[in-house]
Amino acid sequence: MAVLLEEIVQSVEIWLKLIKKPQPYVDPNLDPVLLVPGIAGSILQAVDDNGRGERIWVRIIGADYKFRTKLWSRFDPSTGQTVSLDPKTHIVVPEERYGLHAIDVLDPEMEVDIDEYDAAHLQIGIEFVKWLQIVSSYMMARIIGRESVYYFHDMIVEMTKWGFQEGKTLFGFGYDFRQSNRFQETLERFAARLESVFTASGGKKINIISHSMGGLLVKCFMSLHSDIFEKYVQNWIAIAAPFQGAPGYIASTLLNGMSFVEGWEQNFFISKWSMHQLLIECPSIYELMACPDFQWEHKPVLEIWKEKKDKDGNSNIVLESYSPEESISVFKEALSNNTVNYDGLDIPLPFNLKILQWACETQKILSQAKVPPQVKFYNIFGMNLETPHTVFSWGDTYKALHDSGCFYTYSISNFHSLPCSYGSVEEPVTDLEQLKFIKAQYICIDGDGTVPVESAMADGLNAEARIGVPGEHRGILCEPHVFRILKHWLKADPDPYYNPLNDYVILPTAFEMEMHKEKGLQVTSLKEEWEILSGDEDNIVINNEKPLVSSIAVSDQSALMEARATVTLHPQSEGKRHVELNAISVSATV
């Protein structure tokens, strides 16, 4: 749906629900919720020896430099900790808003609105650094999009509408996602957070909602500290958890790194190469590798086109396949000479066998986890998107393009949209160290674009329910379908259509949408209808003799988009009022 059209629909829905000016709604009967994010889902701050801190994940200004100097790390096998290369820095997670600040909007500066932007331009005496920060943050929000730094933001907003209150029934747990999911310091913090939430809510047991790798952290804790888990937790809802790994995602991450911002916009963010050097030393990444003991219906493999010579010296092109266990030898050779230069020193960063050994032990702990008798477990997983599973690697053309500066950055979550357009069997891999520069082709299976359904469903636990929801790995956190499920499981509202703010029921009665292209334009038409049932005649003031019709038109010249809509509010009849929305948007196709 076009952006402008979606904004119109949201505005009408807000109008329907908020005809009376709402007061903050707090439901004192709700049980507390603790939100636990996945990898890269927590704000991280670097704090020096003098106690001065600065946000390094996520940020825009100086992002790549700060990332390399403050977050790059080495794994210490004696403690299981990944330690920053900067000896004067330690990484902390902010605790404001009862832990929610760190997992809400990962770059709060991108919340700058147009009023702040205009004020910064007009304020003569403003400090230059502050001015630059406001202006750049506003521009980045326009370029990259605020949704790229939203994590649990939409869910927090939604749950607040249901009656949850920060610090009373809504809390967050951010953590240093570089570390292992069984890192002792993280688990100790998690135990302390459970106790503090339990106390703050008046002794009510907790509903945990985890996303992605956060599900592995919770499962590790449950396995190692089941007594504490059972004492404080009543329900655990895992969303998009890679219980048996994310094979295609991690194979590519270990060889090439990952990107969180796509295309040319990545120039304003962390480079893929910088991210690669960090993740090679992160136990959490190794713990996301395909579980070797899991009986995959479709066993993930790594496949490489290679040139081999026979005894007569003739070249043959063969496709070699490597199982998850066999792929280790490929990672070792491909990263054997990988180094980074830090503070003038060349530091070797090969594939880390010590971390692999640690991760294998973590996977054993995960496999032994059981849900305590008094706790209920629920599993929501994403589906209907092509998800990387088996990985191909193609030859030299991609490396040549990389060296010439024509490197195209791609998204892990969008592998399914990437045909291999640079290589062929005529360009085989001659040296495994080339793999760091070679673009991969993927065989995909059903999933959320990152985690296969097969992995997400295989939690190995006694589940009350497992529900698949069409959606993308991160985007599933703002899916209305997921919100309805959570609302039901959290007992936030027994009637999904009842609005306690206005004491009336809005029943959706029709929804139609059509999209087509016409003369180089993308045309989207939409029709949506509702019935409003209310015993309060003052809720809606309307001429009882004829319908009230209102129109709106919005446009975005820079994006070449325009949308128009008409809302019709019919007179009340038999205690009902009928509302119709008819809208159309037109945008230029790229």
Side-chain angles (χ1 to χ4, degrees):
M1 184 188 298
V3 174
L4 295 177
L5 194 59
E6 185 173 352
E7 291 177 351
I8 289 177
V9 174
Q10 290 176 348
S11 298
V12 172
E13 290 177 346
I14 290 172
W15 173 72
L16 285 172
K17 296 175 183 177
L18 304 179
I19 291 174
K20 285 185 175 179
K21 184 177 180 179
Q23 298 298 317
Y25 172 64
V26 176
D27 187 342
N29 299 314
L30 293 174
D31 293 325
V33 169
L34 178 64
L35 303 176
V36 183
I39 192 166
S42 305
I43 292 175
L44 300 182
Q45 293 179 337
V47 179
D48 62 22
D49 292 340
N50 296 317
R52 291 190 297 266
E54 60 177 333
R55 176 166 38 84
I56 50 172
W57 180 267
V58 173
R59 61 181 291 154
I60 298 300
I61 298 177
D64 196 70
Y65 172 75
K66 291 293 184 180
F67 186 88
R68 288 183 280 111
T69 55
K70 301 298 183 181
L71 267 189
W72 273 3
S73 317
R74 294 300 301 271
F75 177 72
D76 182 354
S78 66
T79 62
Q81 182 178 12
T82 289
V83 183
S84 295
L85 293 177
D86 182 357
K88 298 180 180 179
T89 292
H90 65 279
I91 303 302
V92 300
V93 178
E95 297 291 348
E96 293 92 336
R97 290 175 52 208
Y98 312 96
L100 292 169
H101 172 75
I103 64 173
D104 186 345
V105 180
L106 300 185
D107 185 353
E109 290 173 2
M110 289 187 62
E111 285 290 277
V112 171
D113 59 24
I114 186 64
D115 293 332
E116 292 178 273
Y117 174 71
D118 289 341
H121 274 81
L122 296 174
Q123 192 171 346
I124 298 175
I126 191 171
E127 182 183 349
F128 176 75
V129 174
K130 180 65 175 177
W131 176 87
L132 181 62
Q133 185 181 55
I134 293 174
V135 173
S136 62
S137 296
Y138 177 77
M139 295 307 295
M140 288 304 102
R142 296 284 294 176
I143 294 171
I144 297 175
R146 290 186 176 89
E147 66 279 358
S148 64
V149 296
Y150 281 4
Y151 201 93
F152 274 119
H153 178 74
D154 293 292
M155 187 175 291
I156 292 170
V157 170
E158 189 71 18
M159 293 181 71
T160 302
K161 296 176 183 177
W162 301 345
F164 286 92
Q165 183 182 14
E166 293 186 13
K168 296 292 186 182
T169 51
L170 189 56
F171 305 82
F173 180 76
Y175 57 96
D176 183 352
F177 49 80
R178 301 174 304 168
Q179 309 297 342
S180 165
N181 288 293
R182 62 181 174 97
F183 181 49
Q184 186 62 29
E185 182 179 315
T186 303
L187 298 187
E188 289 174 356
R189 287 186 56 244
F190 190 69
R193 181 56 49 85
L194 290 177
E195 182 179 5
S196 66
V197 171
F198 182 79
T199 302
S201 62
K204 292 182 178 180
K205 283 197 169 186
I206 302 162
N207 299 294
I208 295 176
I209 300 177
S210 64
H211 175 249
S212 189
M213 192 182 75
L216 301 189
L217 188 154
V218 173
K219 192 177 182 183
C220 272
F221 185 89
M222 185 176 70
S223 179
L224 295 170
H225 304 285
S226 60
D227 54 337
I228 300 176
F229 197 83
E230 185 170 24
K231 178 180 179 180
Y232 294 121
V233 178
Q234 65 169 328
N235 297 310
W236 169 29
I237 303 170
I239 302 176
F243 285 112
Q244 302 301 328
Y249 181 96
I250 296 304
S252 178
T253 294
L254 288 170
L255 290 172
N256 310 115
M258 69 170 71
S259 300
F260 290 92
V261 178
E262 312 314 321
W264 63 270
E265 292 94 336
Q266 188 191 166
N267 295 320
F268 300 99
F269 198 52
I270 312 297
S271 74
K272 191 174 182 183
W273 179 83
S274 295
M275 183 65 72
H276 188 206
Q277 307 315 309
L278 172 75
L279 298 180
I280 289 173
E281 288 290 303
C282 288
S284 56
I285 288 295
Y286 290 68
E287 290 167 356
L288 292 172
M289 295 173 69
C291 294
D293 298 329
F294 179 60
Q295 299 300 310
W296 294 89
E297 180 181 355
H298 306 287
K299 194 174 183 68
V301 296
L302 172 64
E303 297 189 333
I304 304 172
W305 288 102
K306 280 188 171 182
E307 180 182 8
K308 290 201 169 184
K309 296 184 182 294
D310 60 23
K311 61 182 180 179
D312 298 323
N314 298 316
S315 294
N316 294 302
I317 309 303
V318 297
L319 182 62
E320 293 190 347
S321 297
Y322 302 85
S323 67
E325 300 92 330
E326 295 167 338
S327 298
I328 303 304
S329 62
V330 176
F331 298 145
K332 286 171 57 179
E333 186 172 345
L335 299 172
S336 58
N337 292 313
N338 185 60
T339 62
V340 296
N341 186 280
Y342 186 87
D343 200 21
L345 297 176
D346 288 328
I347 300 174
L349 289 181
F351 181 79
N352 197 316
L353 295 177
K354 292 291 186 181
I355 298 182
L356 178 64
Q357 183 180 357
W358 178 279
C360 289
E361 183 61 30
T362 301
Q363 290 180 338
K364 290 180 183 178
I365 291 171
L366 288 167
S367 68
Q368 296 166 359
K370 296 185 182 300
V371 179
Q374 301 303 315
V375 179
K376 292 183 178 180
F377 169 70
Y378 302 84
N379 186 346
I380 298 175
F381 55 90
M383 61 182 195
N384 289 5
L385 287 179
E386 293 179 336
T387 302
H389 190 62
T390 286
V391 185
F392 289 90
S393 288
W394 298 79
D396 296 333
T397 299
Y398 187 66
K399 183 177 186 300
L401 286 167
H402 175 278
D403 294 341
S404 67
C406 299
F407 188 95
Y408 176 72
T409 308
Y410 56 93
S411 166
I412 296 294
S413 64
N414 289 322
F415 280 150
H416 58 281
S417 66
L418 294 169
C420 181
S421 56
Y422 301 134
S424 68
V425 293
E426 286 77 20
E427 296 179 342
V429 174
T430 57
D431 181 353
L432 288 182
E433 290 191 41
Q434 297 174 356
L435 293 180
K436 291 185 294 183
F437 310 107
I438 292 176
K439 185 177 181 178
Q441 178 77 0
Y442 302 87
I443 293 177
C444 297
I445 59 176
D446 188 25
D448 61 18
T450 298
V451 179
V453 165
E454 186 177 0
S455 173
M457 288 186 65
D459 47 65
L461 303 172
N462 181 22
E464 300 294 318
R466 296 183 182 91
I467 298 179
V469 175
E472 185 266 335
H473 187 67
R474 271 279 293 275
I476 198 171
L477 291 179
C478 53
E479 280 290 332
H481 188 180
V482 171
F483 291 159
R484 289 195 294 271
I485 295 170
L486 293 178
K487 197 171 187 180
H488 176 70
W489 286 344
L490 297 174
K491 300 177 181 178
D493 188 354
D495 184 346
Y497 297 117
Y498 179 68
N499 186 327
L501 290 177
N502 298 300
D503 195 31
Y504 60 72
V505 174
I506 301 176
L507 296 174
T509 57
F511 180 87
E512 300 175 10
M513 186 172 69
E514 181 181 355
M515 302 176 67
H516 68 275
K517 292 184 179 180
E518 180 179 332
K519 298 180 179 179
L521 299 175
Q522 177 73 48
V523 180
T524 304
S525 58
L526 178 145
K527 180 179 180 180
E528 192 165 6
E529 299 180 8
W530 302 267
E531 294 285 355
I532 303 177
L533 285 69
S534 173
D536 186 352
E537 291 295 322
D538 296 327
N539 263 346
I540 304 173
V541 178
I542 185 172
N543 186 328
N544 287 320
E545 297 180 356
K546 60 182 181 179
L548 178 65
V549 180
S550 180
S551 299
I552 185 173
V554 292
S555 64
D556 186 339
Q557 297 298 327
S558 63
L560 300 178
M561 294 189 298
E562 183 175 359
R564 297 178 181 275
T566 300
V567 179
T568 304
L569 187 59
H570 293 271
Q572 181 166 329
S573 175
E574 298 179 349
K576 300 179 182 179
R577 297 187 189 278
H578 188 68
V579 182
E580 294 179 31
L581 167 67
N582 291 279
I584 186 169
S585 74
V586 180
S587 61
T589 58
V590 179

